[in-house]
């Protein structure tokens, strides 16, 4: 990086790719990270065996599986996170987006780049009309991230997320093509 250059000033290069058996340990760490459970639908640990079977059985076809999970790789071909299109509804041409960047790689522009890539994939390959996400109102970083790539807040969902102790409001954010 040049002097005076900010990490956000340069184009971060990432690549989205299909899951491989070698991704098992990273998926195991992400899926069993309890701090992420409050923002998703997971509330039990996943075994390595279960994740191995998931990787083996996923077709990579959103029309068959109603979801697609892709690994996010940095310029060094290192897996740094995952991005999902899930709750795919072919009739209404929409899908939910979820993204996790491993902590060591956050704040480097990779999430922005990955969301940009999944938006292009959803538009050009799957031909969706919209993407959506549910984001805890206290998760200011995610709200900024999704706004940065063009998502807009369309609803406030009261007491939408439960973290095991208390309920949290969520923003329903949408991206329209």
């Amino acid at each position: 990086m040049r002097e005076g250059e900010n990490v956000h000033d340069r184009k971060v290069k990432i690549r989205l790719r299909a899951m491989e058996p070698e991704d098992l340990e990273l998926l195991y760490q992400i899926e069993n990270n309890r701090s992420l459970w409050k923002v998703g639908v997971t509330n039990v640990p996943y075994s390595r065996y279960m994740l191995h079977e998931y990787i083996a059985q996923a077709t990579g076809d959103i029309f068959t599986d109603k979801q697609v999970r892709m690994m996010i790789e940095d310029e060094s071909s290192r897996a740094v996170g995952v991005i999902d299109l899930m709750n795919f509804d072919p009739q209404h041409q929409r899908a939910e987006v979820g993204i996790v960047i491993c902590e060591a790689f956050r704040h480097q522009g990779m999430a922005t780049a990955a969301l940009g890539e999944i938006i292009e994939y959803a538009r050009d390959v799957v031909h969706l009309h919209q993407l959506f996400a549910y984001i805890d109102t206290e998760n200011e970083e995610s709200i900024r991230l999704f706004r940065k790539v063009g998502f807009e807040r369309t609803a406030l969902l009261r007491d939408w997320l439960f973290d095991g102790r208390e309920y949290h409001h969520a923003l329903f954010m949408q991206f329209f093509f």
Side-chain angles (χ1 to χ4, degrees):
M1 193 171 349
R2 295 185 309 255
E3 184 178 335
E5 183 182 29
N6 182 310
V7 70
H8 300 290
D9 295 336
R10 61 186 169 102
K11 176 80 169 134
V12 175
K13 291 185 172 59
I14 58 95
R15 183 172 77 100
L16 301 183
R17 63 162 174 80
M19 294 181 297
E20 299 285 350
E22 296 78 22
D23 299 318
L24 178 63
E25 280 307 310
L26 179 61
L27 289 175
Y28 182 79
Q29 290 170 14
I30 289 171
E31 294 294 347
N32 290 297
N33 181 342
R34 292 184 67 145
S35 69
L36 298 174
W37 290 2
K38 68 181 180 181
V39 297
V41 295
T42 301
N43 62 1
V44 295
Y46 283 94
S47 69
R48 284 180 178 83
Y49 175 78
M50 290 168 58
L51 291 169
H52 179 272
E53 291 298 302
Y54 171 71
I55 292 170
Q57 293 175 10
T59 67
D61 179 3
I62 195 168
F63 291 93
T64 300
D65 297 340
K66 302 296 183 231
Q67 66 178 21
V68 66
R69 169 168 277 185
M70 294 187 215
M71 303 306 294
I72 304 166
E73 282 188 347
D74 66 7
E75 290 177 290
S76 304
S77 298
R78 187 174 37 188
V80 299
V82 297
I83 192 162
D84 300 289
L85 289 180
M86 57 210 158
N87 296 320
F88 170 60
D89 185 332
Q91 178 181 354
H92 301 292
Q93 297 176 305
R94 64 179 174 233
E96 182 178 358
V97 178
I99 185 169
V100 175
I101 300 292
C102 297
E103 225 168 302
F105 301 99
R106 292 181 186 167
H107 307 289
Q108 298 177 32
M110 291 184 202
T112 303
L115 278 171
E117 291 290 321
I118 206 75
I119 287 169
E120 285 182 25
Y121 172 80
R123 180 191 63 222
D124 300 341
V125 177
V126 188
H127 308 290
L128 294 182
H129 170 64
Q130 67 175 287
L131 296 173
F132 64 93
Y134 301 97
I135 304 173
D136 188 321
T137 56
E138 296 174 13
N139 190 342
E140 294 175 10
E141 282 187 69
S142 285
I143 294 167
R144 275 194 306 275
L145 168 66
F146 278 79
R147 278 191 176 139
K148 183 177 185 178
V149 298
F151 279 71
E152 58 187 77
R153 170 193 165 166
T154 55
L156 173 68
L157 305 170
R158 293 175 45 101
D159 291 348
W160 195 256
L161 303 169
F162 184 64
D163 67 7
R165 288 186 216 106
E166 60 186 357
Y167 288 92
H168 298 259
H169 301 333
L171 295 183
F172 184 68
M173 298 187 76
Q174 294 173 280
F175 182 99
F176 295 95
F177 295 100

